[in-house]
Short mmCIF file of all heavy atoms in Angstrom, two decimals:
data_model
loop_
_atom_site.label_atom_id
_atom_site.label_comp_id
_atom_site.label_asym_id
_atom_site.label_seq_id
_atom_site.Cartn_x
_atom_site.Cartn_y
_atom_site.Cartn_z
N ILE A 1338 1.66 6.43 16.45
CA ILE A 1338 1.99 7.32 17.59
C ILE A 1338 3.45 7.13 18.00
O ILE A 1338 4.22 8.15 18.18
CB ILE A 1338 1.03 7.09 18.77
CG1 ILE A 1338 -0.33 7.50 18.38
CG2 ILE A 1338 1.55 7.93 19.96
CD1 ILE A 1338 -1.45 7.01 19.43
N LEU A 1339 3.87 5.85 18.03
CA LEU A 1339 5.24 5.57 18.49
C LEU A 1339 6.24 6.14 17.45
O LEU A 1339 7.27 6.66 17.69
CB LEU A 1339 5.44 4.03 18.52
CG LEU A 1339 6.61 3.59 19.30
CD1 LEU A 1339 6.62 4.02 20.72
CD2 LEU A 1339 6.71 1.93 19.27
N SER A 1340 5.88 6.02 16.14
CA SER A 1340 6.71 6.48 15.07
C SER A 1340 6.90 7.97 15.19
O SER A 1340 7.96 8.65 15.01
CB SER A 1340 6.26 6.11 13.72
OG SER A 1340 7.03 6.67 12.68
N TYR A 1341 5.79 8.66 15.50
CA TYR A 1341 5.83 10.13 15.69
C TYR A 1341 6.71 10.51 16.85
O TYR A 1341 7.53 11.51 16.67
CB TYR A 1341 4.32 10.68 15.99
CG TYR A 1341 4.30 12.20 16.16
CD1 TYR A 1341 4.35 12.99 15.04
CD2 TYR A 1341 4.23 12.73 17.39
CE1 TYR A 1341 4.24 14.38 15.22
CE2 TYR A 1341 4.13 14.14 17.62
CZ TYR A 1341 4.11 14.84 16.52
OH TYR A 1341 4.07 16.27 16.67
N LEU A 1342 6.62 9.79 17.96
CA LEU A 1342 7.51 10.01 19.13
C LEU A 1342 8.95 9.76 18.71
O LEU A 1342 9.84 10.57 19.09
CB LEU A 1342 7.18 9.21 20.28
CG LEU A 1342 5.76 9.44 20.89
CD1 LEU A 1342 5.41 8.40 22.02
CD2 LEU A 1342 5.61 10.88 21.48
N PHE A 1343 9.17 8.80 17.84
CA PHE A 1343 10.55 8.46 17.47
C PHE A 1343 11.13 9.62 16.72
O PHE A 1343 12.30 9.99 16.84
CB PHE A 1343 10.67 7.24 16.49
CG PHE A 1343 10.40 5.97 17.30
CD1 PHE A 1343 10.03 4.77 16.68
CD2 PHE A 1343 10.60 5.92 18.64
CE1 PHE A 1343 9.89 3.58 17.33
CE2 PHE A 1343 10.53 4.70 19.35
CZ PHE A 1343 10.15 3.52 18.65
N ASN A 1344 10.44 10.31 15.83
CA ASN A 1344 10.75 11.51 15.07
C ASN A 1344 11.23 12.61 16.04
O ASN A 1344 12.14 13.35 15.78
CB ASN A 1344 9.74 11.95 14.17
CG ASN A 1344 9.62 11.15 12.89
OD1 ASN A 1344 10.47 10.31 12.59
ND2 ASN A 1344 8.60 11.49 12.08
N ILE A 1345 10.45 12.82 17.11
CA ILE A 1345 10.84 13.86 18.15
C ILE A 1345 12.05 13.43 18.85
O ILE A 1345 12.99 14.32 19.06
CB ILE A 1345 9.69 14.03 19.16
CG1 ILE A 1345 8.40 14.51 18.45
CG2 ILE A 1345 10.08 14.95 20.27
CD1 ILE A 1345 7.20 14.57 19.35
N ILE A 1346 12.13 12.16 19.22
CA ILE A 1346 13.39 11.72 19.96
C ILE A 1346 14.68 11.82 19.08
O ILE A 1346 15.78 12.24 19.53
CB ILE A 1346 13.22 10.25 20.33
CG1 ILE A 1346 12.16 10.12 21.38
CG2 ILE A 1346 14.51 9.66 20.85
CD1 ILE A 1346 11.72 8.70 21.71
N ALA A 1347 14.52 11.52 17.77
CA ALA A 1347 15.56 11.56 16.83
C ALA A 1347 16.17 13.05 16.70
O ALA A 1347 17.37 13.19 16.51
CB ALA A 1347 15.14 11.07 15.42
N LYS A 1348 15.41 13.96 16.87
CA LYS A 1348 15.92 15.34 16.82
C LYS A 1348 16.85 15.70 17.91
O LYS A 1348 17.71 16.56 17.89
CB LYS A 1348 14.81 16.36 16.73
CG LYS A 1348 13.89 16.32 15.44
CD LYS A 1348 12.80 17.35 15.38
CE LYS A 1348 12.00 17.26 14.19
NZ LYS A 1348 10.86 18.31 14.20
N TYR A 1349 16.61 15.07 19.15
CA TYR A 1349 17.35 15.37 20.26
C TYR A 1349 18.57 14.45 20.45
O TYR A 1349 19.71 14.86 20.90
CB TYR A 1349 16.50 15.31 21.49
CG TYR A 1349 15.44 16.39 21.53
CD1 TYR A 1349 14.12 16.24 21.10
CD2 TYR A 1349 15.77 17.69 22.02
CE1 TYR A 1349 13.22 17.26 21.08
CE2 TYR A 1349 14.80 18.76 21.96
CZ TYR A 1349 13.56 18.53 21.54
OH TYR A 1349 12.65 19.45 21.51
N VAL A 1350 18.42 13.18 20.14
CA VAL A 1350 19.49 12.22 20.48
C VAL A 1350 20.23 11.86 19.20
O VAL A 1350 21.24 11.16 19.21
CB VAL A 1350 18.97 10.94 21.07
CG1 VAL A 1350 18.31 11.25 22.42
CG2 VAL A 1350 17.99 10.20 20.22
N LYS A 1351 19.73 12.35 18.03
CA LYS A 1351 20.50 12.17 16.71
C LYS A 1351 20.51 10.76 16.25
O LYS A 1351 21.38 10.32 15.48
CB LYS A 1351 21.90 12.77 16.77
CG LYS A 1351 22.01 14.25 17.12
CD LYS A 1351 21.12 15.09 16.20
CE LYS A 1351 21.09 16.55 16.67
NZ LYS A 1351 20.08 17.35 15.87
N ILE A 1352 19.66 9.87 16.82
CA ILE A 1352 19.48 8.53 16.28
C ILE A 1352 18.40 8.51 15.21
O ILE A 1352 17.30 9.00 15.43
CB ILE A 1352 19.08 7.60 17.45
CG1 ILE A 1352 20.10 7.59 18.52
CG2 ILE A 1352 18.85 6.13 16.91
CD1 ILE A 1352 19.70 6.74 19.79
N PRO A 1353 18.76 8.10 13.99
CA PRO A 1353 17.82 8.03 12.87
C PRO A 1353 16.56 7.33 13.36
O PRO A 1353 16.62 6.25 13.90
CB PRO A 1353 18.58 7.26 11.74
CG PRO A 1353 19.97 7.48 12.10
CD PRO A 1353 20.10 7.50 13.61
N SER A 1354 15.37 7.83 13.10
CA SER A 1354 14.16 7.17 13.50
C SER A 1354 14.03 5.81 12.87
O SER A 1354 13.34 4.90 13.44
CB SER A 1354 12.92 8.01 13.08
OG SER A 1354 12.94 8.29 11.64
N VAL A 1355 14.73 5.54 11.71
CA VAL A 1355 14.58 4.32 11.05
C VAL A 1355 15.23 3.16 11.95
O VAL A 1355 14.73 2.00 11.91
CB VAL A 1355 15.34 4.25 9.64
CG1 VAL A 1355 16.84 4.52 9.82
CG2 VAL A 1355 15.10 2.90 8.98
N ILE A 1356 16.23 3.50 12.66
CA ILE A 1356 16.83 2.48 13.63
C ILE A 1356 15.86 2.14 14.67
O ILE A 1356 15.63 0.99 15.03
CB ILE A 1356 18.11 3.08 14.21
CG1 ILE A 1356 19.16 3.41 13.13
CG2 ILE A 1356 18.70 2.20 15.33
CD1 ILE A 1356 19.66 2.14 12.49
N LEU A 1357 15.11 3.17 15.20
CA LEU A 1357 14.13 2.86 16.23
C LEU A 1357 12.89 2.07 15.68
O LEU A 1357 12.42 1.18 16.35
CB LEU A 1357 13.56 4.20 16.83
CG LEU A 1357 14.72 5.12 17.39
CD1 LEU A 1357 14.13 6.49 17.91
CD2 LEU A 1357 15.39 4.45 18.66
N LEU A 1358 12.58 2.32 14.39
CA LEU A 1358 11.43 1.63 13.82
C LEU A 1358 11.95 0.15 13.61
O LEU A 1358 11.12 -0.75 13.81
CB LEU A 1358 11.04 2.24 12.44
CG LEU A 1358 10.43 3.69 12.57
CD1 LEU A 1358 10.23 4.18 11.16
CD2 LEU A 1358 9.07 3.47 13.27
N LEU A 1359 13.08 -0.05 13.13
CA LEU A 1359 13.66 -1.53 12.97
C LEU A 1359 13.63 -2.22 14.25
O LEU A 1359 13.18 -3.38 14.30
CB LEU A 1359 15.05 -1.40 12.39
CG LEU A 1359 15.15 -0.97 10.98
CD1 LEU A 1359 16.63 -0.95 10.50
CD2 LEU A 1359 14.47 -1.96 10.03
N ALA A 1360 14.13 -1.48 15.30
CA ALA A 1360 14.10 -2.18 16.70
C ALA A 1360 12.71 -2.45 17.18
O ALA A 1360 12.40 -3.47 17.80
CB ALA A 1360 14.75 -1.16 17.64
N THR A 1361 11.68 -1.56 16.74
CA THR A 1361 10.25 -1.86 17.15
C THR A 1361 9.84 -3.19 16.40
O THR A 1361 9.12 -4.05 16.98
CB THR A 1361 9.42 -0.68 16.72
OG1 THR A 1361 9.91 0.52 17.41
CG2 THR A 1361 7.92 -0.99 17.13
N GLY A 1362 10.22 -3.25 15.11
CA GLY A 1362 9.83 -4.46 14.43
C GLY A 1362 10.43 -5.73 15.00
O GLY A 1362 9.77 -6.82 15.16
N VAL A 1363 11.73 -5.59 15.44
CA VAL A 1363 12.37 -6.75 16.05
C VAL A 1363 11.72 -7.11 17.30
O VAL A 1363 11.49 -8.35 17.63
CB VAL A 1363 13.91 -6.53 16.31
CG1 VAL A 1363 14.54 -7.50 17.13
CG2 VAL A 1363 14.60 -6.31 14.96
N GLY A 1364 11.31 -6.10 18.08
CA GLY A 1364 10.61 -6.37 19.37
C GLY A 1364 9.30 -6.96 19.20
O GLY A 1364 8.86 -7.93 19.89
N LEU A 1365 8.60 -6.61 18.15
CA LEU A 1365 7.25 -7.24 17.80
C LEU A 1365 7.35 -8.66 17.39
O LEU A 1365 6.52 -9.51 17.75
CB LEU A 1365 6.50 -6.41 16.67
CG LEU A 1365 6.03 -5.06 17.06
CD1 LEU A 1365 5.48 -4.34 15.84
CD2 LEU A 1365 4.91 -5.11 18.12
N LYS A 1366 8.50 -8.90 16.59
CA LYS A 1366 8.80 -10.33 16.29
C LYS A 1366 9.08 -11.22 17.50
O LYS A 1366 8.50 -12.39 17.57
CB LYS A 1366 9.93 -10.43 15.34
CG LYS A 1366 10.44 -11.74 14.95
CD LYS A 1366 9.50 -12.50 14.18
CE LYS A 1366 10.08 -13.85 13.73
NZ LYS A 1366 9.04 -14.72 13.05
N PHE A 1367 9.83 -10.67 18.44
CA PHE A 1367 10.07 -11.36 19.73
C PHE A 1367 8.84 -11.68 20.49
O PHE A 1367 8.55 -12.78 21.03
CB PHE A 1367 11.09 -10.57 20.60
CG PHE A 1367 11.38 -11.11 21.96
CD1 PHE A 1367 12.22 -12.22 21.97
CD2 PHE A 1367 10.75 -10.67 23.07
CE1 PHE A 1367 12.55 -12.81 23.28
CE2 PHE A 1367 11.03 -11.19 24.28
CZ PHE A 1367 11.87 -12.28 24.43
N LEU A 1368 7.98 -10.63 20.63
CA LEU A 1368 6.66 -10.80 21.35
C LEU A 1368 5.88 -11.69 20.57
O LEU A 1368 5.16 -12.63 21.16
CB LEU A 1368 6.02 -9.51 21.46
CG LEU A 1368 6.68 -8.37 22.43
CD1 LEU A 1368 5.83 -7.10 22.35
CD2 LEU A 1368 6.64 -8.97 23.87
N GLY A 1369 5.83 -11.66 19.28
CA GLY A 1369 4.93 -12.68 18.56
C GLY A 1369 5.44 -14.11 18.72
O GLY A 1369 4.59 -15.03 18.89
N ASP A 1370 6.72 -14.29 18.83
CA ASP A 1370 7.25 -15.70 19.08
C ASP A 1370 6.87 -16.21 20.41
O ASP A 1370 6.56 -17.32 20.69
CB ASP A 1370 8.78 -15.69 18.87
CG ASP A 1370 9.20 -15.54 17.46
OD1 ASP A 1370 8.39 -15.73 16.60
OD2 ASP A 1370 10.30 -15.15 17.16
N GLN A 1371 6.86 -15.21 21.45
CA GLN A 1371 6.57 -15.62 22.84
C GLN A 1371 5.15 -15.99 22.88
O GLN A 1371 4.82 -16.94 23.73
CB GLN A 1371 6.81 -14.39 23.72
CG GLN A 1371 8.31 -14.01 23.82
CD GLN A 1371 9.08 -15.15 24.29
OE1 GLN A 1371 8.91 -15.85 25.38
NE2 GLN A 1371 10.27 -15.44 23.61
N PHE A 1372 4.25 -15.34 22.15
CA PHE A 1372 2.81 -15.64 22.29
C PHE A 1372 2.23 -16.45 21.09
O PHE A 1372 1.05 -16.56 20.91
CB PHE A 1372 2.00 -14.35 22.45
CG PHE A 1372 2.32 -13.57 23.66
CD1 PHE A 1372 3.18 -12.56 23.72
CD2 PHE A 1372 1.62 -13.94 24.90
CE1 PHE A 1372 3.49 -11.88 24.87
CE2 PHE A 1372 1.84 -13.26 26.11
CZ PHE A 1372 2.77 -12.23 26.09
N ALA A 1373 3.18 -17.05 20.34
CA ALA A 1373 2.81 -17.88 19.17
C ALA A 1373 1.91 -17.16 18.15
O ALA A 1373 0.86 -17.69 17.70
CB ALA A 1373 2.13 -19.22 19.67
N ILE A 1374 2.32 -15.88 17.96
CA ILE A 1374 1.48 -15.16 16.94
C ILE A 1374 2.39 -14.87 15.75
O ILE A 1374 3.52 -14.21 15.87
CB ILE A 1374 1.14 -13.77 17.55
CG1 ILE A 1374 0.13 -14.04 18.77
CG2 ILE A 1374 0.29 -12.90 16.50
CD1 ILE A 1374 -0.32 -12.80 19.51
N GLN A 1375 1.97 -15.15 14.57
CA GLN A 1375 2.77 -15.11 13.40
C GLN A 1375 2.09 -14.16 12.43
O GLN A 1375 0.88 -14.27 12.17
CB GLN A 1375 3.09 -16.40 12.73
CG GLN A 1375 3.91 -17.23 13.62
CD GLN A 1375 5.37 -16.83 13.81
OE1 GLN A 1375 5.93 -16.15 13.03
NE2 GLN A 1375 5.86 -17.03 15.03
N LEU A 1376 2.90 -13.14 11.83
CA LEU A 1376 2.36 -12.35 10.76
C LEU A 1376 2.73 -12.83 9.41
O LEU A 1376 3.83 -13.04 9.24
CB LEU A 1376 2.89 -10.90 10.93
CG LEU A 1376 2.39 -9.79 10.09
CD1 LEU A 1376 0.83 -9.60 10.18
CD2 LEU A 1376 3.19 -8.54 10.27
N THR A 1377 1.64 -13.15 8.57
CA THR A 1377 1.87 -13.75 7.29
C THR A 1377 1.93 -12.69 6.20
O THR A 1377 1.50 -11.62 6.41
CB THR A 1377 0.88 -14.75 7.01
OG1 THR A 1377 -0.43 -14.15 7.05
CG2 THR A 1377 0.84 -15.92 8.01
N GLY A 1378 2.55 -13.03 5.05
CA GLY A 1378 2.63 -12.17 3.98
C GLY A 1378 3.47 -10.97 4.01
O GLY A 1378 3.32 -9.92 3.42
N VAL A 1379 4.58 -11.05 4.96
CA VAL A 1379 5.52 -9.91 5.14
C VAL A 1379 6.18 -9.50 3.87
O VAL A 1379 6.28 -8.30 3.59
CB VAL A 1379 6.47 -10.27 6.34
CG1 VAL A 1379 7.47 -9.11 6.49
CG2 VAL A 1379 5.74 -10.38 7.59
N PRO A 1380 6.78 -10.40 3.13
CA PRO A 1380 7.44 -10.03 1.91
C PRO A 1380 6.52 -9.28 0.87
O PRO A 1380 6.94 -8.35 0.26
CB PRO A 1380 7.92 -11.38 1.25
CG PRO A 1380 7.96 -12.28 2.43
CD PRO A 1380 6.95 -11.90 3.33
N PHE A 1381 5.21 -9.69 0.82
CA PHE A 1381 4.27 -9.02 -0.06
C PHE A 1381 4.11 -7.60 0.34
O PHE A 1381 4.11 -6.62 -0.48
CB PHE A 1381 2.97 -9.79 -0.07
CG PHE A 1381 1.82 -8.95 -0.81
CD1 PHE A 1381 1.84 -8.93 -2.13
CD2 PHE A 1381 0.95 -8.31 0.02
CE1 PHE A 1381 0.68 -8.22 -2.64
CE2 PHE A 1381 -0.08 -7.56 -0.60
CZ PHE A 1381 -0.14 -7.57 -1.96
N PHE A 1382 3.84 -7.41 1.65
CA PHE A 1382 3.56 -6.04 2.22
C PHE A 1382 4.80 -5.16 2.10
O PHE A 1382 4.76 -3.99 1.91
CB PHE A 1382 3.08 -6.07 3.65
CG PHE A 1382 1.61 -6.61 3.72
CD1 PHE A 1382 1.41 -7.78 4.30
CD2 PHE A 1382 0.56 -5.74 3.25
CE1 PHE A 1382 0.04 -8.28 4.27
CE2 PHE A 1382 -0.70 -6.22 3.39
CZ PHE A 1382 -0.94 -7.50 3.96
N LEU A 1383 6.04 -5.72 2.24
CA LEU A 1383 7.29 -5.03 2.10
C LEU A 1383 7.41 -4.50 0.65
O LEU A 1383 7.75 -3.36 0.46
CB LEU A 1383 8.45 -5.93 2.45
CG LEU A 1383 8.85 -6.08 3.95
CD1 LEU A 1383 9.92 -7.06 4.14
CD2 LEU A 1383 9.19 -4.71 4.58
N ASP A 1384 7.07 -5.28 -0.28
CA ASP A 1384 7.16 -4.89 -1.64
C ASP A 1384 6.13 -3.80 -1.98
O ASP A 1384 6.39 -2.82 -2.68
CB ASP A 1384 6.85 -6.13 -2.57
CG ASP A 1384 7.08 -5.80 -4.09
OD1 ASP A 1384 8.03 -5.07 -4.41
OD2 ASP A 1384 6.26 -6.19 -4.88
N LEU A 1385 4.94 -4.02 -1.34
CA LEU A 1385 3.83 -3.01 -1.62
C LEU A 1385 4.16 -1.59 -1.01
O LEU A 1385 4.09 -0.58 -1.69
CB LEU A 1385 2.51 -3.54 -1.08
CG LEU A 1385 1.21 -2.51 -1.10
CD1 LEU A 1385 0.91 -2.38 -2.54
CD2 LEU A 1385 0.10 -3.18 -0.39
N PHE A 1386 4.58 -1.69 0.36
CA PHE A 1386 4.85 -0.45 0.99
C PHE A 1386 6.20 0.24 0.37
O PHE A 1386 6.24 1.47 0.38
CB PHE A 1386 5.01 -0.65 2.48
CG PHE A 1386 3.69 -0.86 3.24
CD1 PHE A 1386 3.57 -1.97 4.09
CD2 PHE A 1386 2.69 0.01 3.06
CE1 PHE A 1386 2.34 -2.07 4.76
CE2 PHE A 1386 1.40 -0.12 3.66
CZ PHE A 1386 1.31 -1.22 4.58
N GLY A 1387 7.02 -0.63 -0.09
CA GLY A 1387 8.27 -0.21 -0.68
C GLY A 1387 7.95 0.66 -1.90
O GLY A 1387 8.53 1.80 -2.05
N ASP A 1388 7.22 0.16 -2.85
CA ASP A 1388 6.89 0.92 -4.06
C ASP A 1388 6.18 2.13 -3.77
O ASP A 1388 6.55 3.28 -4.37
CB ASP A 1388 6.02 0.00 -4.91
CG ASP A 1388 6.77 -1.10 -5.69
OD1 ASP A 1388 8.00 -0.96 -5.74
OD2 ASP A 1388 6.31 -2.00 -6.10
#
Side-chain angles (χ1 to χ4, degrees):
I1338 294 171
L1339 196 61
S1340 179
Y1341 180 79
L1342 294 176
F1343 286 162
N1344 280 352
I1345 298 175
I1346 294 172
K1348 292 182 179 180
Y1349 292 98
V1350 299
K1351 304 305 176 186
I1352 298 177
S1354 58
V1355 63
I1356 297 294
L1357 301 176
L1358 291 172
L1359 289 174
T1361 302
V1363 172
L1365 289 175
K1366 174 64 174 175
F1367 176 78
L1368 290 175
D1370 291 341
Q1371 296 299 311
F1372 294 97
I1374 300 174
Q1375 296 295 325
L1376 185 62
T1377 59
V1379 173
F1381 168 78
F1382 286 110
L1383 278 175
D1384 187 44
L1385 178 64
F1386 285 131
D1388 283 339

